Amino acid sequence: MSKLTAIYNFVSVRWIRKFSDREKLEKYQKKMVRKQLLYMKKHSPFYANIDVDDFASLPIMDKKSMMENFDKLNTHGLNRDEALSLAIESEKSRDFTPKYKGISVGLSSGTSGHRGLFVVSDKETMQWAGAVLAKLLPKGHILNHKVAFFLRADNNLYETINSPVLTFEFFDLLKPMEEHIARLKEFPVTILVAPPSVLKELAKEQEKGSLNISPEKIISVAEVLNEADERYIKKVFGKEIIHQVYQCTEGFLACTCECGKIHLNEDIVFIEKEYIGENRFVPVITDYRRSSQPIIRYRLNDVLRESKEKCECGNPSLVIEKIEGREDDIFIFSKDGKDVCVFADFISRCMVYVDDIREYRVEQISRDEIIIYIDRVDDKTKEDTIKEFKRLSEKMNFDMPRISFEAYVTTPGRKVKRVERRFEYEKN
Ligand SMILES: [Zn+2]
């Protein structure tokens, strides 16, 4: 039954639900949103009294309000504290099989302090799997793939989609790299899926000759792929495109098409745009199919840069020029008592211009202090880095912060954020 759900959704996303133009897509979105609201009005106590024809009046949700209203939101009568203790238990024991009233429970790896709790049924998981595969399996070649999947925590889902025509091999990010390399030697991977920090490690091994894989498709997930890493991974593996998947617990939001452009998955989620600058927006998402835990007008903590371009692949869904990462990671400097917001992208760019840095992380401690972690702490690198930040502070007109340097160390399993603000900022 559940495998059929995956296959059904695979076929429908890949071949049936195709839209030749924007108008048809928007018509479909309207229909699906309304259908979802009707479902939630009936099954989610939180939405019991809504007017399904007045979408704009529905509250904007976020991780915090989702947690606060968990009991009323979910459609299975799940209790937050019970779900939470089960999720924490699974995380600790690394046994993700126990379910709560037949529903899988997980914690989202949020960095902003609020812990997110997510619940999905097997059916939803299968729908998700079908959609992901439909979007990601290469054109003209959908059978006999060997997928190497690097993830932070295990999930029985990947075993479930194992079949004679598709093999998923799961690599736990908390395990040491040597172990992964040994396993990859035995596994002729055709699709490599990993966070960019791991892709980069694998590329280094490949360059050294200790690894010799030739995946047909490389997919970057979970973290933001920066341009320098992208170039390096492309070069080492001889690829023209490194595919990106923008996926979070809240939904499967975007992925790269065969032309190398990142499209929002507007056939799967409805995305409202909250603009925060020219061409930059925070997505507010509504998932058409999530049935256990409604994702309706859910505001994410990300910033996307849109492109006005139409893509040659023919998909009318919006093209994203860049996923700029978590909104928390906008740095806040000051000038004459006023806040100056600096996008994470500008901070990484400062680092890109400094020679010989391979690994770095920039943390903002306060409006006038940042710490830079680099793999090469010598006077020349320090000087060059400070010069770049000075240039940026002049260009964007903020007071130059104090900068201190520390050695870069990797923590296995930790989500790598290259640009991270360590203090809360309340928007006026
Ligand atoms: Zn495209």
Side-chain angles (χ1 to χ4, degrees):
M1 162 64 197
S2 58
K3 261 189 194 174
L4 272 179
T5 308
I7 294 167
Y8 171 78
N9 219 35
F10 177 88
V11 171
S12 113
V13 171
R14 189 150 177 135
W15 293 295
I16 301 172
R17 237 182 287 145
K18 288 278 186 193
F19 302 95
S20 51
D21 59 49
R22 187 79 212 168
E23 205 180 312
K24 288 193 183 113
L25 172 65
E26 284 173 7
K27 210 172 140 196
Y28 173 77
Q29 292 189 302
K30 247 194 194 134
K31 187 181 89 185
M32 293 307 283
V33 166
R34 190 167 189 280
K35 203 170 149 199
Q36 180 71 342
L37 295 186
L38 278 170
Y39 182 87
M40 287 309 164
K41 190 176 167 67
K42 206 165 162 197
H43 297 96
S44 162
F46 184 86
Y47 290 110
N49 299 316
I50 57 168
D51 174 358
V52 297
D53 292 310
D54 191 6
F55 182 70
S57 69
L58 302 181
I60 304 274
M61 306 295 287
D62 59 14
K63 199 174 271 176
K64 196 161 165 262
S65 51
M66 181 76 99
M67 280 302 269
E68 282 165 2
N69 299 290
F70 181 86
D71 294 9
K72 284 181 84 183
L73 274 164
N74 81 78
T75 59
H76 298 280
L78 307 179
N79 169 273
R80 183 184 66 187
D81 298 333
E82 278 175 41
L84 200 55
S85 66
L86 179 73
I88 292 169
E89 194 45 50
S90 298
E91 192 82 22
K92 269 193 205 145
S93 63
R94 303 194 64 67
D95 175 9
F96 296 90
T97 41
K99 289 185 179 170
Y100 177 26
K101 294 190 185 173
I103 307 292
S104 304
V105 177
L107 286 176
S108 72
S109 58
T111 41
S112 58
H114 297 301
R115 199 161 40 181
L117 186 57
F118 287 89
V119 294
V120 282
S121 67
D122 286 352
K123 187 175 173 213
E124 288 168 279
T125 305
M126 283 298 136
Q127 282 175 339
W128 171 82
V132 170
L133 292 173
K135 295 269 183 189
L136 296 181
L137 293 186
K139 204 177 178 183
H141 178 193
I142 56 170
L143 294 182
N144 297 317
H145 277 289
K146 302 237 178 284
V147 186
F149 216 124
F150 286 75
L151 271 185
R152 198 184 64 87
D154 202 349
N155 187 323
N156 20 16
L157 158 71
Y158 305 104
E159 286 152 38
T160 328
I161 4 186
N162 255 346
S163 76
V165 290
L166 185 73
T167 315
F168 267 80
E169 187 87 357
F170 172 74
F171 295 75
D172 187 342
L173 286 181
L174 290 171
K175 301 254 168 74
M177 196 42 123
E178 301 84 72
E179 199 177 297
H180 298 323
I181 301 224
R183 278 175 67 202
L184 278 172
K185 281 183 180 151
E186 307 295 319
F187 186 72
V189 51
T190 61
I191 301 180
L192 174 62
V193 187
S197 56
V198 174
L199 291 176
K200 197 168 150 193
E201 284 305 307
L202 293 172
K204 280 183 197 165
E205 298 293 337
Q206 181 97 350
E207 208 175 24
K208 272 196 292 188
S210 47
L211 182 67
N212 183 16
I213 53 173
S214 44
E216 185 179 327
K217 191 162 181 175
I218 299 178
I219 302 169
S220 161
V221 291
E223 297 161 4
V224 176
L225 175 68
N226 71 41
E227 284 154 50
D229 289 354
E230 186 180 6
R231 268 200 304 274
Y232 177 66
I233 298 161
K234 272 185 188 171
K235 190 188 84 187
V236 174
F237 291 106
K239 291 283 150 204
E240 269 176 34
I241 301 174
I242 302 299
H243 290 259
Q244 292 189 63
V245 163
Y246 175 35
Q247 148 81 40
C248 49
T249 24
E250 295 87 354
F252 176 36
L253 302 181
C255 60
T256 309
C257 73
E258 76 241 32
C259 300
K261 306 268 186 228
I262 307 170
H263 288 268
L264 290 180
N265 293 329
E266 292 182 280
D267 51 342
I268 297 171
V269 276
F270 176 63
I271 301 176
E272 296 173 84
K273 293 176 241 168
E274 194 180 287
Y275 282 97
I276 55 162
E278 208 187 335
N279 301 331
R280 283 186 167 87
F281 67 90
V282 174
V284 178
I285 63 171
T286 298
D287 193 296
Y288 309 145
R289 276 185 188 76
R290 286 285 281 262
S291 53
S292 301
Q293 185 177 27
I295 302 288
I296 293 173
R297 306 199 87 196
Y298 187 94
R299 187 181 189 276
L300 294 170
N301 259 329
D302 293 323
V303 176
L304 305 183
R305 199 161 80 206
E306 68 182 342
S307 158
K308 296 288 181 210
E309 229 181 308
K310 268 201 176 156
C311 185
E312 282 172 25
C313 76
N315 180 353
S317 288
L318 187 75
V319 174
I320 293 298
E321 212 160 90
K322 219 171 167 216
I323 299 161
E324 297 202 324
R326 307 267 119 179
E327 191 194 8
D328 319 33
D329 298 337
I330 292 173
F331 275 18
I332 316 292
F333 296 106
S334 66
K335 181 79 187 176
D336 304 326
K338 278 201 184 128
D339 287 339
V340 180
C341 298
V342 177
F343 290 106
D345 195 35
F346 292 112
I347 304 295
S348 4
R349 264 163 203 284
C350 283
M351 303 308 295
V352 167
Y353 292 132
V354 181
D355 287 336
D356 298 326
I357 296 183
R358 285 192 95 154
E359 304 288 0
Y360 71 87
R361 230 153 59 73
V362 186
E363 277 182 12
Q364 186 176 28
I365 305 303
S366 65
R367 282 175 175 67
D368 53 8
E369 186 182 2
I370 58 180
I371 302 178
I372 299 178
Y373 298 84
I374 36 177
D375 56 346
R376 243 184 112 93
V377 193
D378 57 37
D379 289 344
K380 167 102 178 35
T381 329
K382 282 189 199 172
E383 226 171 80
D384 290 350
T385 310
I386 291 172
K387 221 186 269 170
E388 288 302 331
F389 274 90
K390 216 165 194 147
R391 199 171 291 163
L392 182 68
S393 76
E394 282 159 16
K395 210 169 100 189
M396 300 199 66
N397 198 26
F398 59 83
D399 295 330
M400 180 71 179
R402 284 192 307 280
I403 299 181
S404 53
F405 291 89
E406 280 180 38
Y408 180 95
V409 273
T410 27
T411 325
R414 186 174 185 271
K415 209 166 178 178
V416 177
K417 278 175 115 189
R418 293 199 176 276
V419 177
E420 189 167 10
R421 193 181 69 237
R422 301 300 294 265
F423 62 97
E424 291 287 326
Y425 168 61
E426 288 298 324
K427 243 189 283 178
N428 299 323

